[in-house]
């Protein structure tokens, strides 16, 4: 590792924020400020923002510093983001391995362009999420976005995609991590359901490409394919090997490719070793090929001889090459 330092010049009344450790500022002869940020790990991406920021501080697991930078308008609600980030980092540290960086800076953008951006040890997010508070309708969207961007501290930063065709290791895994978080800690599967439907209903056949395609960046439906279908594919992997095996695979993956480049094939190998199952067909079907499940489903209850009820389901796929998948089944009772 080596130290790199980012220097940002601002007007006298402005404050600069960036990833890394804030090292204070100097004043030039003309009154302008120079703000310094030290990053002790290697990084090939950086970012900064300039406004009239205030800082709210907390602690992450491992007693690492957490800093939230907001404008004065949102300073009163910064504690909500502080508490949310602390909880998400704690959950991910248990699921994926300890938080890998010296600290985390969460920075508000002045505008609402885009969603978020997560360079190493830092997160930029658009303005409105910093005004949300628990118990309100907007808080769920805030949680989804924050959990996705924090997921990048593992997926995309700690483990970097080796090629354009491996971008699922960054965006798909970050979105899948966010879906896992909202399912468990907000007790709803609406995020993964919306991601699945987003791909199914918004991607025209002519724009569809495989999640693991080298040309996926060029698709007009990049977000729907990589973020949404990619997350749904990892969700289907839970059906094949189980949730714990998926988490164990991701934790082992982060250990083996710590601060390194990796491919989707590398993750396949790790998942196979952890689950003791052959997943070549799964990777080939869902990462190397395009398309989705199109099936007709029929079901009925049949009275069995012992007085119980048998549930019979039939899936019909009209495609010439039907897809292979496992379907989780839940039986609810009227009472």
């Amino acid at each position: 590792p080596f130290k790199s330092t980012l220097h940002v010049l601002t007007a006298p009344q402005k404050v600069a924020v960036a990833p890394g450790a804030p090292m204070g500022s100097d004043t030039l002869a003309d009154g302008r400020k120079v703000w310094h940020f030290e990053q002790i790990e290697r990084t090939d991406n950086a970012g900064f923002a300039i406004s009239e920021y205030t800082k709210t501080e907390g602690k992450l697991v491992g007693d690492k510093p957490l800093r939230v930078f907001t404008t004065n308008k949102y300073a009163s609600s910064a504690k909500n983001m502080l508490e949310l980030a602390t909880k998400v980092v704690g959950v991910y540290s248990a699921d994926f391995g300890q938080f890998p960086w010296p600290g985390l800076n969460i920075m508000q953008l002045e505008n609402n362009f885009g969603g978020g951006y997560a360079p190493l040890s830092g997160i930029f997010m658009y303005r409105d999420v910093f005004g949300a508070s628990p118990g309100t309708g907007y808080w769920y969207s805030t949680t989804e976005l924050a959990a996705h961007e924090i997921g990048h501290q593992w997926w995309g930063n700690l483990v970097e995609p080796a090629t354009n065709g491996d971008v699922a290791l960054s965006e798909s895994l970050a979105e899948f991590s966010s879906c896992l978080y909202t399912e468990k800690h907000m007790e709803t599967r609406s995020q993964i359901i919306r991601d699945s439907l987003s791909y199914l209903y918004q991607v025209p056949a002519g724009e569809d490409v495989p999640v693991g395609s080298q040309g996926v960046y060029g698709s007009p439906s990049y977000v729907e394919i990589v973020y949404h279908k990619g997350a749904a594919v990892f969700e289907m992997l839970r059906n094949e090997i189980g949730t714990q095996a998926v988490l164990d695979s991701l934790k082992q993956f982060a250990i083996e490719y710590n601060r390194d480049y990796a491919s989707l094939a590398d993750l396949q190998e790790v998942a196979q070793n952890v689950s003791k199952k052959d997943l070549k067909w799964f990777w080939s079907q869902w990462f190397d090929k395009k398309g989705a499940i199109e099936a007709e489903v029929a079901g009925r209850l049949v009275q069995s001889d012992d007085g119980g009820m048998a549930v019979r389901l039939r899936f019909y796929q009209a495609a010439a090459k039907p897809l292979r998948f496992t379907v989780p089944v839940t039986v609810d009772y009227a009472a």
Side-chain angles (χ1 to χ4, degrees):
F2 60 88
K3 292 182 179 180
S4 58
T5 308
L6 175 67
H7 309 280
V8 184
L9 278 72
T10 73
Q13 75 277 15
K14 298 290 186 178
V15 176
V17 296
M23 305 304 290
S25 64
D26 297 319
T27 303
L28 302 178
D30 61 5
R32 289 182 300 163
K33 293 286 188 69
V34 187
W35 302 84
H36 314 287
F37 304 89
E38 186 174 87
Q39 182 63 64
I40 68 169
E41 297 271 358
R42 67 174 175 84
T43 180
D44 56 6
N45 65 354
F48 64 89
I50 298 172
S51 186
E52 295 179 2
Y53 286 109
T54 60
K55 179 174 66 174
T56 305
E57 295 184 278
K59 292 288 186 181
L60 297 172
V61 60
D63 209 33
K64 296 178 178 181
L66 171 62
R67 311 174 187 95
V68 176
F69 294 91
T70 60
T71 57
N72 286 326
K73 178 180 179 181
Y74 296 94
S76 62
S77 58
K79 66 180 186 304
N80 295 328
M81 186 62 68
L82 205 70
E83 292 171 358
L84 173 61
T86 302
K87 186 175 180 181
V88 173
V89 169
V91 170
Y92 288 175
S93 295
D95 287 345
F96 309 138
Q98 65 180 356
F99 182 73
W101 314 117
L104 180 65
N105 296 347
I106 299 180
M107 296 155 282
Q108 173 203 332
L109 297 176
E110 277 274 48
N111 57 44
N112 274 336
F113 175 75
Y117 168 57
L120 187 149
S121 78
I123 293 172
F124 297 89
M125 292 192 294
Y126 68 93
R127 179 182 64 219
D128 285 359
V129 300
F130 288 85
S133 57
T136 63
Y138 201 48
W139 183 247
Y140 185 81
S141 298
T142 296
T143 301
E144 283 188 3
L145 179 60
H148 176 102
E149 300 304 338
I150 292 173
H152 277 306
Q153 300 307 320
W154 284 263
W155 318 123
N157 289 339
L158 181 65
V159 180
E160 296 188 55
T163 71
N164 285 351
D166 302 304
V167 68
L169 298 180
S170 176
E171 297 299 354
S172 301
L173 279 180
E175 181 65 10
F176 175 64
S177 300
S178 179
C179 291
L180 286 176
Y181 182 85
T182 54
E183 176 185 325
K184 184 175 181 180
H185 297 280
M186 301 194 82
E187 299 181 342
T188 174
R189 285 176 50 82
S190 63
Q191 184 178 0
I192 191 63
I193 292 170
R194 279 188 284 106
D195 282 350
S196 301
L197 297 181
S198 169
Y199 165 75
L200 288 171
Y201 292 119
Q202 295 189 57
V203 179
E207 294 180 4
D208 197 10
V209 296
V211 175
S213 166
Q214 290 292 330
V216 70
Y217 269 116
S219 171
S221 299
Y222 165 73
V223 170
E224 289 79 13
I225 293 171
V226 172
Y227 287 65
H228 300 160
K229 180 183 179 180
V233 167
F234 283 114
E235 169 67 17
M236 286 191 288
L237 185 61
R238 292 173 71 188
N239 296 335
E240 300 298 336
I241 66 175
T243 299
Q244 192 57 52
V246 170
L247 294 179
D248 290 345
S249 297
L250 292 176
K251 182 177 287 188
Q252 183 62 32
F253 186 55
I255 291 173
E256 293 189 21
Y257 293 92
N258 183 312
R259 294 164 173 80
D260 203 352
Y261 295 94
S263 67
L264 278 166
D266 294 326
L267 179 56
Q268 177 194 329
E269 183 177 0
V270 171
Q272 288 186 160
N273 290 338
V274 170
S275 67
K276 309 300 182 187
K277 291 187 177 182
D278 181 4
L279 297 172
K280 292 178 182 177
W281 69 269
F282 185 91
W283 249 250
S284 175
Q285 180 173 275
W286 294 117
F287 290 112
D288 299 338
K289 298 175 184 177
K290 60 184 180 180
I293 297 168
E294 293 186 21
E296 295 178 6
V297 185
R300 63 193 179 104
L301 292 175
V302 179
Q303 186 81 40
S304 59
D305 294 338
D306 62 2
M309 301 295 292
V311 182
R312 291 188 175 175
L313 298 176
R314 175 174 291 175
F315 288 78
Y316 171 72
Q317 298 184 73
K321 294 183 178 180
L323 296 173
R324 174 180 171 183
F325 55 95
T326 296
V327 180
V329 176
T330 300
V331 177
D332 290 325
Y333 294 88

